[in-house]
């Protein structure tokens, strides 16, 4: 007889697969508490919370952290504005070459990061633009826009043109229509897109390597730190910070878009 | 009487000028203030486009539109004193019913107390008291339709446009809403412009109606006029599925050599002997309140309505047809 329940073998395989994916993350957390700071020895000889204090007092952590936060914030901000505008144009009017442009917008996320990084680097050098925080932001904005765009364009499609016309019909000017009808319906999608973009930017390494010049963002600082056998658990403490800074927004984004699809689907 | 809406040779063409889609083509019409005006026509005949020209979401390619005498060529939708009940209702999904209804007042800057009170009044008008806190998704189709109506009426428009507002409702609800809409219109005295492709709905509700065909008005008049004296073959067939008789048949039926319309209910089915018109029954359709016979004679098919209670002939039987000569309406228009 056919059963809807998974067989024992399949269950073991699924649990095994999940453990394989997620155990290393737990190990990273574990080594933030180890007493041994030269090599990652298993099991840890002892547990301590001293590394959090050490990390807090290490001067070289703060500039990369600030830089990463700043870059992610500005790149996300740019992406939210540009991504929303592009998605509005794409969703509401048909014009020649629309599909092609849509593909071009999505390309930065489909292309390998090395390609984006290389092309940006050569473009900057051709145009004589010195590497700075702004070149990093530009690099990040290319893929952040895609995230915001994808979120917003999906929501735009679900919003029938009808409610925007209904708003104008009832006497609202375009600003009022934007404020009272478009934004509330688009808001969660934009917020979710922004959160994901922030998370992506915050831990981006490849494009950053090509566009950063002498500065280090937090992930790049971690990479450099790992090759030095000195206070290794500090890196793990920073890893926890990175984990929280990226995972929490992604989780929020997930719940935001899930709620959005529920309310949109309920009208059908 | 003033005209609420006037179209002066209005056209709206889409697409390239070389091969335009003539959605609305040279339409002239006058809608009297306070009347219930129906636009009737098959799918794609330009009814929605006409409404959108009145509401301002489309601009005429040529011609002039006046609302209460004012040329509205340069007036955007949000500054026309016209409101619309959309075909799919277009309620704001994120607002509750009260805020939906009060929206028109909110954008005018009316304070919340006043607009909530007014929204409740409008909800009472459409018999939806107590539904203010619900979201549109929690309403039935008929209830959404009423909310859309209340929302459109809250600004006290001078003209209310309704685009097939009853299309999504089942027959029973549809008939109830027809009566309610008609009653509401005569109570409020607002000009209603009502789009439908259901001829029964148009005939029963309208003070006057325009029959659309391929972007043009085939006929405009009161329901009784349009029904009794269709101007063209298209109108005769579309409104009430009349018998459209070619000139030779009209002649055989005792009329002039012209196209004519003869309503099926005007034909009496008699015994075959001793009458001028006799034919063979080719089909019978049972309608409940009677039967519709198809009779082949003089090379055409003629439909006759046989009231319930009369003996129904067998297919293939020969029957006679009789009618009052005044019922034979000769059409002057082409097409
Ligand atoms: N924006 C547009 N672009 C191109 N063609 C259009 C546009 N809007 C309408 N048309 C065309 O104009 C014609 C009339 O359309 P309209 O929507 O007015 O018909 P309708 O009488 O309302 O039909 P229905 O009963 O199906 O709603 C159709 O052939 C339609 O394809
Ligand atoms: Mg239509």
């Amino acid at each position: 007889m056919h059963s809807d329940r998974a067989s024992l073998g399949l269950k073991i395989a699924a649990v095994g697969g999940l453990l394989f994916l997620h155990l290393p993350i737990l190990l990273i957390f574990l080594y933030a508490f180890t007493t041994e700071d030269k090599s990652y020895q298993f099991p840890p000889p002892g547990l301590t919370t001293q590394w959090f204090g050490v990390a807090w007092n290490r001067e070289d952590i703060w500039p990369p952290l600030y830089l990463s936060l700043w870059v992610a914030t500005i790149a996300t901000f740019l992406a939210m504005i540009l991504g929303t505008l592009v998605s509005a144009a794409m969703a509401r009017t048909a014009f020649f070459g629309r599909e092609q442009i849509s593909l071009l917008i999505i390309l930065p996320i489909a292309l390998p990061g090395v390609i984006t990084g290389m092309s940006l680097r050569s473009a900057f050098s051709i145009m004589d633009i010195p590497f700075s925080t702004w070149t990093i932001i530009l690099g990040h904005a290319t893929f952040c826009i895609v995230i915001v765009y994808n979120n917003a364009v999906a929501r735009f499609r679900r919003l029938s043109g009808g409610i925007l016309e209904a708003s104008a019909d009832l006497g609202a000017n375009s600003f009022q229509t934007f404020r009272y009808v478009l934004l509330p319906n688009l808001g969660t999608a934009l917020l979710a897109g922004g959160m994901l973009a922030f998370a992506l930017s915050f831990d981006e390494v490849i494009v950053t390597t090509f566009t950063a010049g002498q500065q280090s963002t937090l992930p790049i600082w971690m990479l450099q730190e790992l090759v030095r056998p000195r206070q290794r658990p500090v890196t793990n403490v920073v890893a926890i910070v990175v984990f929280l800074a990226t995972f929490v927004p992604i989780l929020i984004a997930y719940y935001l878009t899930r709620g959005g699809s529920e309310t949109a689907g309920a009208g059908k | 009487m003033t005209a609420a809406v006037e179209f002066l040779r209005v056209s709206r063409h889409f697409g390239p000028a070389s091969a335009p889609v003539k959605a609305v083509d040279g339409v002239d019409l006058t809608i009297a203030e306070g009347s219930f005006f129906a636009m009737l026509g098959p799918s794609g005949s330009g009814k929605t486009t006409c409404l959108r020209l009145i509401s301002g979401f489309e601009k005429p390619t040529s011609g002039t539109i006046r609302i209460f005498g004012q040329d509205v060529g340069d007036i955007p939708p949000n500054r026309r004193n016209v409101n619309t009940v959309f075909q799919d209702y277009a309620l704001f999904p994120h607002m509750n019913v009260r805020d939906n209804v009060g929206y028109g007042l909110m954008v005018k800057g009316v304070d919340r107390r006043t607009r909530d009170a007014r929204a409740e009044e409008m909800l009472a008008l459409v018999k939806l008291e107590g539904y203010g806190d619900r979201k549109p998704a929690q309403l039935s189709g008929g209830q959404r339709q009423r909310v859309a109506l209340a929302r459109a009426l809250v600004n006290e428009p001078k003209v209310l446009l309704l685009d097939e507002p009853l299309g999504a409702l089942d027959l029973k609800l549809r008939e109830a809403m027809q009566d309610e809409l008609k009653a509401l219109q005569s109570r409020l005295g607002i000009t209603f412009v009502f789009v439908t492709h259901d001829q029964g709905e148009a005939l029963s509700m309208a003070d006057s109606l325009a029959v659309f065909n391929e972007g043009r008005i085939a006929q405009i008049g009161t329901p009784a006029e349009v029904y009794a004296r269709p101007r063209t073959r298209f109108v005769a067939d579309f409104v009430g599925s009349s018998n459209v008789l070619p000139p030779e048949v009209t002649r055989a039926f005792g009329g002039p050599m012209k196209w004519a319309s003869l309503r099926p209910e005007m034909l009496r089915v008699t015994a075959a002997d001793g009458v001028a018109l006799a034919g063979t029954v080719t089909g019978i359709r049972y309608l409940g309140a009677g039967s519709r016979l198809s009779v082949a004679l003089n090379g055409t098919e003629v439909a006759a309505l046989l009231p319930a209670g009369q003996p129904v002939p067998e297919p293939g039987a020969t029957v006679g047809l009789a009618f009052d000569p005044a019922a034979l309406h000769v059409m002057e228009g082409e097409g």
Side-chain angles (χ1 to χ4, degrees):
Chain A
M1 217 179 92
H2 175 79
S3 162
D4 279 341
R5 314 200 61 182
S7 70
L8 189 65
L10 186 60
K11 277 182 188 161
I12 291 174
V15 171
L18 285 174
L19 285 180
F20 177 77
L21 283 173
H22 293 114
L23 264 186
I25 299 179
L26 289 180
L27 283 183
I28 289 196
F29 292 168
L30 180 65
Y31 281 119
F33 298 95
T34 184
T35 47
E36 196 268 344
D37 78 333
K38 295 280 186 298
S39 62
Y40 289 141
Q41 185 186 356
F42 192 85
L47 295 177
T48 171
T49 52
Q50 63 157 329
W51 300 115
F52 286 84
V54 175
W56 183 266
N57 291 318
R58 281 264 300 261
E59 305 256 294
D60 58 328
I61 293 180
W62 294 103
L65 178 63
Y66 286 142
L67 182 65
S68 276
L69 284 174
W70 173 246
V71 165
T73 307
I74 301 298
T76 303
F77 178 74
L78 284 178
M80 296 217 357
I81 293 175
L82 296 177
T84 310
L85 293 178
V86 169
S87 61
M90 290 294 178
R92 291 187 50 199
T93 46
F95 53 88
F96 179 74
R98 181 169 78 163
E99 296 308 313
Q100 289 76 2
I101 291 184
S102 162
L103 188 68
L104 281 182
I105 294 169
I106 299 180
L107 211 52
I109 216 149
L111 278 181
V114 265
I115 306 284
T116 311
M118 275 173 65
S119 55
L120 279 170
R121 192 184 180 89
S122 49
F124 290 147
S125 74
I126 287 172
M127 289 188 283
D128 266 334
I129 300 174
F131 293 120
S132 69
T133 309
W134 287 103
T135 52
I136 309 177
I137 289 173
L138 260 173
H140 286 200
T142 56
F143 56 81
C144 287
I145 287 176
V146 185
I147 306 294
V148 175
Y149 168 79
N150 274 345
N151 269 274
V153 91
R155 188 65 62 90
F156 261 120
R157 291 219 180 94
R158 279 209 304 256
L159 282 181
S160 55
I163 59 171
L164 304 183
E165 282 192 356
S167 171
D169 187 80
L170 291 163
N173 57 34
S174 7
F175 174 74
Q176 288 171 319
T177 300
F178 176 79
R179 165 77 184 77
Y180 296 118
V181 179
L182 194 54
L183 206 56
N185 281 292
L186 210 55
T188 49
L190 284 185
L191 204 55
M195 296 266 177
L196 288 173
F198 185 91
L200 264 186
S201 163
F202 194 78
D203 75 350
E204 213 283 338
V205 177
I206 305 170
V207 176
T208 318
T209 320
F210 283 91
T211 54
Q214 296 306 310
Q215 303 190 77
S216 299
T217 58
L218 205 56
I220 290 184
W221 176 87
M222 287 167 72
L223 202 60
Q224 292 162 349
E225 202 61 15
L226 276 180
V227 294
R228 260 177 260 161
R230 172 173 72 100
Q231 293 187 331
R232 279 204 163 170
V234 169
T235 323
N236 291 61
V237 170
V238 176
I240 293 179
V241 173
V242 173
F243 173 82
L244 290 178
T246 58
F247 188 68
V248 171
I250 288 175
L251 210 61
I252 294 174
Y254 171 74
Y255 279 105
L256 282 178
T257 42
R258 201 188 56 163
S261 65
E262 266 170 17
T263 41
K268 293 280 161 338
Chain B
M1 190 133 54
T2 24
V5 179
E6 270 176 295
F7 275 40
L8 305 172
R9 304 231 55 82
V10 171
S11 295
R12 177 67 175 97
H13 297 175
F14 293 104
S18 51
V21 176
K22 298 180 177 179
V24 172
D25 193 28
V27 164
D28 276 310
L29 61 80
T30 303
I31 300 174
E33 181 176 5
S35 70
F36 196 118
F37 188 89
M39 293 182 174
L40 177 64
S43 190
S45 57
K47 308 178 298 289
T48 297
T49 309
C50 262
L51 275 200
R52 292 172 60 81
L53 284 164
I54 301 175
S55 56
F57 292 112
E58 297 287 352
K59 283 200 177 290
T61 316
S62 65
T64 308
I65 298 171
R66 294 206 189 109
I67 298 178
F68 287 96
Q70 183 191 17
D71 185 340
V72 291
D74 296 324
I75 301 182
N78 58 326
R79 289 202 278 114
R80 297 190 183 190
N81 202 354
V82 167
N83 288 120
T84 308
V85 177
F86 291 88
Q87 188 158 11
D88 58 357
Y89 310 146
L91 298 177
F92 305 125
H94 58 294
M95 293 182 193
N96 65 22
V97 165
R98 186 180 303 109
D99 289 344
N100 261 282
V101 175
Y103 188 83
L105 298 173
M106 183 193 67
V107 297
K108 275 192 200 160
V110 176
D111 67 279
R112 176 163 273 285
R113 281 264 296 286
T114 319
R115 68 175 194 258
D116 281 357
R118 192 80 184 106
E120 284 304 332
E121 268 173 47
M122 296 317 298
L123 286 174
L125 188 72
V126 297
K127 305 203 182 77
L128 275 182
E129 295 105 325
Y131 283 82
D133 291 320
R134 296 220 200 167
K135 285 282 178 71
Q138 299 167 312
L139 299 177
S140 74
Q143 290 166 340
R144 280 181 216 167
Q145 199 272 334
R146 286 158 201 253
V147 175
L149 188 63
R151 185 180 68 172
L153 286 172
V154 83
N155 278 346
E156 301 177 346
K158 287 184 163 174
V159 180
L160 185 71
L161 310 176
L162 304 104
D163 192 355
E164 302 201 29
L166 309 180
L169 308 183
D170 65 66
L171 188 67
K172 199 86 193 146
L173 193 55
R174 206 180 158 95
E175 285 176 349
M177 282 306 300
Q178 284 175 2
D179 293 342
E180 281 180 31
L181 270 181
K182 184 70 187 154
L184 197 66
Q185 192 265 336
S186 36
R187 187 140 55 94
L188 300 174
I190 295 176
T191 311
F192 273 36
V193 182
F194 187 94
V195 161
T196 177
H197 57 240
D198 177 338
Q199 46 107 4
E201 196 164 275
L203 291 175
S204 66
M205 296 173 82
D207 297 322
S208 73
L209 67 92
V211 184
F212 280 75
N213 184 25
E214 296 178 349
R216 294 168 167 273
I217 291 185
Q219 187 168 5
I220 195 161
T222 66
E225 272 167 20
V226 173
Y227 190 81
R229 290 191 295 280
R231 218 175 61 79
T232 68
R233 276 173 264 162
F234 172 82
V235 177
D237 183 50
F238 190 76
V239 183
S241 311
S242 193
N243 290 306
V244 177
L245 309 178
E248 319 76 72
V249 182
T250 311
R251 186 68 170 274
F253 275 49
M257 253 322 242
K258 289 247 177 73
W259 286 89
S261 149
L262 187 58
R263 295 283 169 196
E265 64 272 22
M266 293 298 184
L267 281 166
R268 283 190 312 279
V269 179
T270 64
D273 34 72
V275 287
L277 293 171
T280 319
V281 177
T282 55
I284 299 162
R285 188 134 66 103
Y286 180 64
L287 301 176
S291 303
R292 194 178 168 97
L293 299 190
S294 300
V295 181
L297 86 172
N298 292 13
T300 34
E301 287 256 306
V302 174
L305 207 63
L306 194 66
Q310 285 200 23
V312 181
E314 294 288 313
T318 308
V319 292
L321 292 175
F323 61 93
D324 176 357
L328 188 70
H329 168 69
V330 175
M331 293 181 287
E332 70 265 29
E334 282 304 306

